[in-house]
Amino acid sequence: MDNASDVPAAPAEPPVVSKKPGTDWWAEARGIFWLILAVLGFHSFIAKPFYIPSESMMPTLITGDRLVVTKYPYGWSYVSPSFHVLPFIHGRVLGRLPERGDIVILKPPQADTDFIKRVIGLPGDRLEVRGGVVVINGVPVKRVPESPAMIPVDANVPCDQPEVARFRMTGRDGQLYCALPRFRETLPNGRSYDTLDLGYMPEIDDYPAITIPAGHIFVMGDNRDQSADSRVPAYRNGLDGPVPFENLGGRAEFITFSLDGTTKLWNPISWFTALRGGRAGTSLHPSREER
């Protein structure tokens, strides 16, 4: 009688190993493409971040400020895309003129870069500057002296240029400040903001009377003696007069955060220690005085 234990066992079936699907690189590339396109579209038509690289808008904006610029308030034009790749195209889609006092970004007619300035004059205005005082349609803009603008000295605002070094001072808190002469300016529509005036400089504090052409705006920096704006000729890197309406890129809305210039890419702690306190969330819309 055969013993069942003597019957050889059937060989076991090898386990079925499911093959891991390979990465679909074409699908991944398409996903990245659509993501980049969405970001560029948002930056071109809705809003984009902006960095302040110079002193031309002090005391409102200082070097190192990061802010949000919205693209839609004035409609869209050839400068709306994130990169300035289009030639000049006349007109704007759903175009609306800015209001006096708006802070805007714009492209100079002679360069592919972005400037940030304040709108002072609109089409049809008769505008001139006499001794640093703006005159619109024969009426001097209200200008009231205030206490100095106390801007802390740091790596982004060293206050060491010959024009401003004389204004360096130590505050009661022991901090070094740039105490710059400040004036409150109020435009005919009642919108007011602070400006700086370092003293009389004929080449920029006097500007002959002009009538702003149709489809153009006249812009100036709040730091009146250190701004390459509509008063400054093109050979001095200025805007060389009123700027075409099509060159407006958007309106500045608010400061997101501000850095003092001590950030080190390799040191994450410095990303936080370099933050300036008290600037995040600051609105860039001028106040409106009772009239």
Side-chain angles (χ1 to χ4, degrees):
M1 189 174 185
D2 293 333
N3 192 328
S5 61
D6 294 334
V7 179
E13 291 290 331
V16 178
V17 179
S18 59
K19 191 175 180 179
K20 187 177 180 181
T23 301
D24 186 345
W25 293 109
W26 177 240
E28 294 290 333
R30 285 201 309 269
I32 293 172
F33 169 78
W34 287 114
L35 176 62
I36 293 173
L37 198 64
V39 171
L40 290 177
F42 187 86
H43 282 186
S44 297
F45 299 107
I46 307 299
K48 76 170 199 174
F50 193 83
Y51 165 70
I52 300 300
S54 71
E55 301 85 8
S56 70
M57 282 297 293
M58 290 198 305
T60 309
L61 292 165
I62 61 179
T63 305
D65 283 349
R66 268 69 170 178
L67 52 133
V68 168
V69 171
T70 49
K71 292 298 193 76
Y72 52 83
Y74 315 126
W76 298 272
S77 73
Y78 82 103
V79 302
S80 295
S82 295
F83 302 102
H84 298 310
V85 294
L86 298 176
F88 180 85
I89 300 172
H90 181 72
R92 301 185 74 92
V93 176
L94 301 177
R96 296 177 297 278
L97 278 173
E99 191 175 353
R100 286 192 186 93
D102 282 356
I103 297 177
V104 299
I105 63 166
L106 53 90
K107 188 190 92 66
Q110 73 279 8
D112 288 330
T113 185
D114 286 322
F115 279 23
I116 184 163
K117 304 294 175 189
R118 191 180 296 277
V119 176
I120 302 297
L122 297 176
D125 283 345
R126 185 72 175 169
L127 185 145
E128 63 182 303
V129 183
R130 304 176 194 155
V133 177
V134 179
V135 181
I136 299 176
N137 298 323
V139 180
V141 168
K142 181 182 175 183
R143 188 168 178 264
V144 178
E146 293 187 319
S147 59
M150 303 293 284
I151 300 174
V153 172
D154 56 32
N156 269 338
V157 185
C159 195
D160 57 359
Q161 299 174 356
E163 300 90 348
V164 296
R166 58 196 169 103
F167 296 109
R168 289 166 65 112
M169 64 167 289
T170 302
R172 294 180 179 177
D173 57 359
Q175 166 78 40
L176 189 61
Y177 290 91
C178 212
L180 300 170
R182 178 171 54 171
F183 294 80
R184 189 74 174 176
E185 194 169 88
T186 304
L187 293 171
N189 60 355
R191 301 182 91 190
S192 62
Y193 46 86
D194 288 341
T195 64
L196 300 180
D197 190 340
L198 306 180
Y200 179 60
M201 300 182 184
E203 67 277 7
I204 202 167
D205 281 333
D206 292 319
Y207 187 83
I210 63 165
T211 298
I212 300 173
H216 288 68
I217 57 170
F218 196 93
V219 298
M220 297 172 68
D222 290 350
N223 188 355
R224 291 296 164 78
D225 297 316
Q226 294 184 305
S227 175
D229 50 39
S230 288
R231 300 168 296 165
V232 179
Y235 72 85
R236 291 179 53 199
N237 298 318
L239 294 171
D240 205 22
V243 178
F245 182 40
E246 290 84 355
N247 288 43
L248 274 184
R251 183 178 69 194
E253 302 292 344
F254 60 90
I255 297 171
T256 52
F257 62 96
S258 186
L259 298 173
D260 64 13
T262 60
T263 305
K264 304 295 182 185
L265 185 61
W266 47 265
N267 181 5
I269 294 176
S270 71
W271 304 349
F272 301 96
T273 58
L275 287 169
R276 294 183 176 120
R279 295 194 66 76
T282 302
S283 172
L284 297 176
H285 293 227
S287 61
R288 196 180 296 273
E289 292 190 355
E290 296 289 337
R291 301 185 67 191

